[in-house]
Amino acid sequence: MLSVSDAEAIILNLVQPFAHQRDTEVVDLLAAHSRILATPVTSPLDFPHWDNSEMDGYAVRYEDVQHSSSEQPAVLEIVEDIPAGYQPKSPIQLGQAARIFTGAVIPAGADTVVMQEKTRREENRVFILDAPKPQEFVRHKASFYQAGTQLLPAGIKLNAPEIGVLAAAQCPQLSVYRRPRVAIFSTGDELVSIDKQLQPGQIVDSNQYAIAALVRESGAEPLILGIVKDDPVALEKVITHAVAIADIVISSGGVSVGDYDYVDKILESLKAKIHIRAVQIRPGKPLTVATLPSPQSPVYFGLPGNPGAVLVTFWRFVLPAIKKLSGITEGWEPVFLKVRSHDELRSQGKRETYLWGKLHLIDGVYEFHKATGSHSSGDLINLAQTNALAVLPMGKTLISPQEEVQVLQLSNG
């Protein structure tokens, strides 16, 4: 049985990020949010586009005002008002100034802006009451970005700041990586869909919905294949179809050692290479990870059947794999934080144990509050509204209240 860290290393080594032209598509800027940029972006525009004012005040020649003070102010003639969006008409000559507003173009001849709080105006004259620094409050052309150089690199996620930058750079369309396709199905004779009336011994297939939601949160495209009975022929048919259409395949159930757990046997019959069969994690010990011989070389994740184990193993192993596959160059690794535990946390110490709960900010310090009720892998109810998993390493059986604990921050926080 593999350790959690060894299993993670194997999985992330199996997954190779999108890097080919065939895995890209062109989208409009408004549709690019949360997508992964596939090619570097340059712009023909300088930022700022021209020298402009950082303040409301007066555009002046520094040599005219360098000795100004409240006792002996420089007195300049105002030759023009320059609001934002206006092209200056009058160069600033010796002894002259222009009234200027934030963002407006610096007129020719001027090299410094004096903020209005350090001036006094009388009709068409301005008194400079304090000497500015040379070039003060002037934002110079291309000081933020020089045209023709790289504006944004490939492999980054496009969030609001990046979308704003691209809009300012007049990039109406972008090349982004396509969304990873993730096939999802559940196995088990006991499972029924949410629209069916339960009979004795049956349970609703919640795993399919939870996994699909997590896949969407990750930026990938879920391909829902439904419920498959514990029948080897039916399972082989679905797995063969899933492998043909997806980059990643996720099944839940059928990976333990029971008489009706067929997934591993079918994978072997399909010439799959099984890299992981079990992991020292609680919940989630039975975990199958395999690769199959096909043009797309998808990675197969056979998750446990219990819903708590499904969510924990997805967050710990599958989510980083999807993020890495998407083409993002960094930020796909799990995010762990060291925080204070509000509650006593216990485990048997035989496996790395994950307990779900919620992070609260208490007096500026994050504190982990364990979810109330059972932490059985079959208990889905108290996983609602959680945003973190406390991690108790192997051999650690107790974390006392106020003691430090490592937590895995979840995407749904």
Side-chain angles (χ1 to χ4, degrees):
M1 194 177 346
L2 292 170
S3 70
V4 171
S5 59
D6 286 344
E8 177 188 50
I10 289 171
I11 291 167
L12 293 178
N13 187 56
L14 291 174
V15 176
Q16 297 305 313
F18 290 150
H20 300 290
Q21 185 67 32
R22 65 175 180 269
D23 293 320
T24 67
E25 59 186 6
V26 175
V27 298
D28 292 338
L29 183 58
L30 284 175
H33 182 254
S34 296
R35 302 299 296 272
I36 308 301
L37 189 62
T39 56
V41 174
T42 61
S43 174
L45 301 174
D46 290 316
F47 289 87
H49 308 319
W50 46 73
D51 291 356
N52 69 90
S53 178
E54 197 173 347
M55 287 282 182
D56 291 349
Y58 293 87
V60 301
R61 294 154 48 101
Y62 176 72
E63 61 184 282
D64 286 340
V65 298
Q66 60 183 313
H67 302 302
S68 296
S69 67
S70 56
E71 291 79 18
Q72 291 186 315
V75 182
L76 307 175
E77 177 192 5
I78 302 169
V79 296
E80 190 173 21
D81 279 7
I82 308 174
Y86 173 81
Q87 179 62 42
K89 302 293 192 298
S90 304
I92 302 303
Q93 308 290 343
L94 182 68
Q96 295 180 337
R99 179 75 168 107
I100 197 166
F101 298 87
T102 302
V105 177
I106 301 292
D111 58 15
T112 300
V113 172
V114 180
M115 61 190 300
Q116 65 184 26
E117 290 84 350
K118 295 183 178 180
T119 67
R120 185 179 79 250
R121 181 169 181 169
E122 294 181 4
E123 297 180 347
N124 71 331
R125 295 188 304 167
V126 60
F127 292 75
I128 309 300
L129 306 178
D130 192 14
K133 298 176 182 178
Q135 303 185 53
E136 191 169 25
F137 300 127
V138 174
R139 293 186 288 219
H140 291 282
K141 177 181 178 180
S143 60
F144 301 163
Y145 168 80
Q146 187 174 5
T149 60
Q150 182 172 282
L151 181 65
L152 293 176
I156 64 169
K157 187 175 182 180
L158 298 174
N159 293 316
E162 291 77 22
I163 296 295
V165 167
L166 292 165
Q170 295 184 317
C171 296
Q173 293 186 317
L174 302 166
S175 176
V176 298
Y177 288 116
R178 65 175 177 85
R179 298 185 188 277
R181 294 185 286 266
V182 181
I184 303 165
F185 65 93
S186 303
T187 70
D189 290 340
E190 75 280 15
L191 299 178
V192 296
S193 58
I194 62 174
D195 58 341
K196 302 295 184 183
Q197 184 172 354
L198 288 176
Q199 300 300 319
Q202 293 183 331
I203 59 174
V204 176
D205 175 26
S206 61
N207 289 344
Q208 185 176 173
Y209 291 88
I211 294 170
L214 289 168
V215 166
R216 286 192 183 95
E217 285 180 9
S218 74
E221 176 188 356
L223 308 174
I224 310 299
L225 303 184
I227 299 170
V228 185
K229 297 297 183 182
D230 289 323
D231 173 67
V233 175
L235 275 170
E236 181 175 340
K237 182 178 178 180
V238 170
I239 291 173
T240 301
H241 175 58
V243 168
I245 64 172
D247 305 295
I248 287 176
V249 179
I250 303 174
S251 66
S252 63
V255 293
S256 192
V257 292
D259 292 342
Y260 298 96
D261 294 322
Y262 297 120
V263 170
D264 284 13
K265 296 183 183 70
I266 292 169
L267 289 172
E268 289 171 342
S269 73
L270 294 173
K271 309 301 182 185
K273 182 175 182 180
I274 299 181
H275 304 271
I276 298 173
R277 294 181 186 269
V279 181
Q280 291 171 325
I281 187 172
R282 182 183 178 92
K285 173 185 172 183
L287 174 69
T288 294
V289 179
T291 49
L292 291 101
S294 75
Q296 291 189 182
S297 299
V299 178
Y300 186 102
F301 289 92
L303 305 186
N306 283 318
V310 165
L311 289 173
V312 169
T313 52
F314 185 99
W315 282 317
R316 188 62 185 88
F317 301 116
V318 184
L319 181 58
I322 294 175
K323 288 184 175 181
K324 183 178 179 182
L325 176 66
S326 72
I328 195 168
T329 54
E330 60 182 19
W332 40 263
E333 305 91 343
V335 177
F336 291 96
L337 306 174
K338 287 187 176 180
V339 305
R340 186 172 61 201
S341 179
H342 175 268
D343 305 295
E344 180 178 278
L345 307 177
R346 287 186 174 274
S347 82
Q348 297 176 358
K350 297 178 182 179
R351 287 179 270 160
E352 189 166 299
T353 299
Y354 289 71
L355 301 173
W356 40 93
K358 195 163 188 176
L359 288 175
H360 292 274
L361 193 61
I362 309 295
D363 297 328
V365 177
Y366 274 111
E367 194 171 80
F368 176 79
H369 290 233
K370 185 180 72 169
T372 58
S374 166
H375 281 249
S376 162
S377 63
D379 184 3
L380 178 63
I381 302 304
N382 67 347
L383 269 156
Q385 301 183 69
T386 56
N387 64 7
L389 297 173
V391 184
L392 279 70
M394 287 181 60
K396 184 77 171 179
T397 59
L398 173 66
I399 290 178
S400 301
Q402 304 306 305
E403 188 179 342
E404 189 177 75
V405 62
Q406 182 171 258
V407 301
L408 173 62
Q409 190 174 21
L410 304 181
S411 61
N412 65 332

